Amino acid sequence: MWQRRAFLKAAGAGFAAGLLPRQVEALERSDLVFASSVQTAAGSYGAVLLGERGDVIASIDLPDRGHDITISREAGRGVVFARQPGTFAVVFDPQGRAAPVTLTSVEGRHFYGHGVFSPDGRLLYATESDFEAARGVVGIYDATDGYRRIGEFPTFGTGPHEMLLMPDGVTFVVANGGIETHPDFGRTELNLETMDPSVVFIDRRDGRLIGQLRLDAGLHQLSIRHMAIDGRGRVWFGCQYKGAPADKPQLVGYATMDGEIRLIELPPGTLADLRNYVGSVAVSADGVTVAVSSPEGDLLVAIDAEGKRPVLAETLRNGCGLAADGMGFVATSGNGEMIGMAGADRAAQKFDFLFDNHILRVG
C-alpha cells in the first residue's frame, strides 16, 4: 500500500495543489490510499482513489465497465483495464495534471482485465486475447511513447486473466483461465469441454517460458483466474469451476517457481458456501494471511498461509474486492459497501457507487 506520505511523495508536490479543498482534507485524513473501478448510481462507469476512511480523493470517468487497476510510481500513471473481453484501457495521472488517455485494443486482440508496469515504469504489459487463434498474449506498451503498442509474447494458454510481477522483478506469473471467447459471441465460453487452465512463469525481458503448471487432468474445468503472492514467494490462486454445479472441487491453491502446484483443503461447508467461484485473492501486508472472496456466495475467507487452513469466514453480500489494510484486509462489494476483516479496525461504510471486482492498494 502507499501510505499517505509515500503516496504524496510518489504523486509529486503538485498533486495536493490540484485537488479541491474537500479532496485535500480527505487526503490529509487518510493514512492509506486505495483505487477501484466503480459504477455510479446513474449507471455510468468510473474509477476512484479512496482514502483510508473511504473519502473520495479523485475520480475519472470510463467509457464502459472497468475491472482491475495498476499504478506505477515510476511512470507516474495508473491504468484501468476494461472488463474482459474489453477493447479499452484508460491511462490516468494520479496528480490530475494530465487528462486521461484511452487506449484501444489493436485489431484481433481484446484486453482481459489486468496488467502491470515494468519496475522502471517504462513499459506496460496487458493480458490480451488473440481471439481468432484462441490464444493468450501479453501486449507490450511503451509508456515513454504515448503507450504505443510495441509487441507481444504468448501466455502459452487460452483466456489469460490476472498477471503479476514476481518479487525478482523479472518474472511474470500469468493465470491462463483456459476459456476461449470470441467477440462474435460476447462473453459466451466456447470450449468448456476442452478447457486447459494453467499457471505460467514467463521472463518479461524476452517472453521466454520458464515454467507451466497444471492441476490434475480431471480438474481441467477449474479455471484459474486471480492470484496474489505471499511472503515466501508462493503464488496463491483462486478458481472458478465450469463443470457440473453439483461438483464441489477445491478452489484455492498455490504454485511455486520450482514447480509445485496444489490445491488446499477447505472444509466442505466453506467450500459449499463459495459456490464454485472465487472472484479475488489478496495477501496481508505481513505476507502470512491469504484472503479470497466469492460474490456468488457472499463469502470472504481468510486463510493461514503456513497452516493452509481457513481462520475466518465472513459474510458480505456481493463482496469481491480485497486488499491488505494494516493488520487485515479491506473488502468491497458490488452493493457499494466497504468493510474490514481479519484484523482490520474499520467501520463498515456504504457508498453511492458500486465497486467492481477488485480494489487496489495504491503502490
Side-chain angles (χ1 to χ4, degrees), residues 58-115:
S59 64
I60 61 169
D61 296 329
L62 298 178
D64 207 330
R65 181 174 174 178
H67 194 62
D68 199 18
I69 299 173
T70 186
I71 290 183
S72 169
R73 303 183 194 189
E74 290 72 18
R77 294 290 187 274
V79 180
V80 188
F81 295 96
R83 182 192 192 204
Q84 67 92 14
T87 58
F88 73 89
V90 175
V91 181
F92 66 95
D93 178 1
Q95 303 179 44
R97 297 177 305 183
V101 175
T102 299
L103 310 179
T104 302
S105 56
V106 298
E107 184 175 356
R109 304 288 184 270
H110 272 176
F111 291 117
Y112 253 131
H114 293 266

Side-chain angles (χ1 to χ4, degrees), residues 3-342:
Q3 293 188 338
R4 175 169 54 88
R5 184 177 301 173
F7 177 81
L8 286 171
K9 181 179 179 181
F15 177 74
L19 299 176
L20 297 172
R22 61 178 174 78
Q23 295 171 312
V24 173
E25 183 180 350
L27 183 59
E28 289 178 345
R29 289 199 301 265
S30 303
D31 289 329
L32 308 177
V33 180
F34 300 93
S36 178
S37 296
V38 299
Q39 182 179 16
T40 69
S44 61
Y45 296 99
V48 296
L49 284 177
L50 294 174
E52 183 183 18
R53 299 173 186 270
D55 303 300
V56 177
I57 297 170
S59 64
I60 61 169
D61 296 329
L62 298 178
D64 207 330
R65 181 174 174 178
H67 194 62
D68 199 18
I69 299 173
T70 186
I71 290 183
S72 169
R73 303 183 194 189
E74 290 72 18
R77 294 290 187 274
V79 180
V80 188
F81 295 96
R83 182 192 192 204
Q84 67 92 14
T87 58
F88 73 89
V90 175
V91 181
F92 66 95
D93 178 1
Q95 303 179 44
R97 297 177 305 183
V101 175
T102 299
L103 310 179
T104 302
S105 56
V106 298
E107 184 175 356
R109 304 288 184 270
H110 272 176
F111 291 117
Y112 253 131
H114 293 266
V116 295
F117 279 94
S118 59
D120 62 7
R122 297 177 63 85
L123 297 174
L124 172 71
Y125 302 86
T127 51
E128 301 177 359
S129 173
D130 174 0
F131 48 80
E132 295 295 351
R135 70 184 186 110
V137 300
V138 174
I140 308 169
Y141 297 81
D142 186 347
T144 70
D145 187 16
Y147 291 84
R148 181 171 58 89
R149 196 177 192 277
I150 58 174
E152 66 180 31
F153 51 74
T155 69
F156 306 95
T158 301
H161 202 63
E162 188 157 23
M163 172 172 60
L164 302 175
L165 183 62
M166 296 295 291
D168 63 11
V170 172
T171 307
F172 283 139
V173 57
V174 180
N176 284 313
I179 298 176
E180 177 186 356
T181 58
H182 191 285
D184 290 348
F185 303 97
R187 290 173 59 83
T188 301
E189 295 159 334
L190 302 173
N191 66 331
L192 294 184
E193 297 303 318
T194 59
M195 287 172 54
D196 182 23
S198 65
V199 173
V200 295
F201 295 95
I202 300 170
D203 190 319
R204 72 170 183 83
R205 296 168 298 188
D206 55 12
R208 176 175 57 88
L209 178 64
I210 297 172
Q212 184 163 24
L213 303 174
R214 292 179 171 87
L215 297 167
D216 293 342
L219 296 172
H220 77 281
Q221 290 182 305
L222 201 54
S223 180
I224 303 171
R225 299 292 189 91
H226 295 106
M227 306 175 294
I229 302 170
D230 73 9
R232 291 177 52 186
R234 294 176 298 189
V235 180
W236 286 80
F237 57 83
C239 303
Q240 299 172 14
Y241 185 61
K242 300 298 179 180
D247 296 345
K248 297 298 176 192
Q250 294 292 335
L251 299 172
V252 179
Y254 64 85
T256 67
M257 286 188 64
D258 59 6
E260 181 183 12
I261 184 168
R262 59 167 292 190
L263 295 167
I264 67 166
E265 294 290 326
L266 296 177
T270 302
L271 197 58
D273 289 343
L274 288 173
R275 297 193 179 183
N276 282 340
Y277 191 103
V278 171
S280 187
V281 182
V283 168
S284 60
D286 60 8
V288 302
T289 305
V290 179
V292 301
S293 62
S294 172
E296 301 290 328
D298 303 326
L299 188 68
L300 311 171
V301 181
I303 298 165
D304 173 13
E306 289 307 305
K308 305 177 186 64
R309 59 181 178 82
V311 293
L312 176 73
E314 188 161 341
T315 299
L316 178 63
R317 189 178 176 192
N318 202 11
C320 193
L322 291 168
D325 178 18
M327 298 298 291
F329 297 90
V330 59
T332 53
S333 83
N335 295 338
E337 294 177 281
M338 174 184 282
I339 67 169
M341 67 169 290

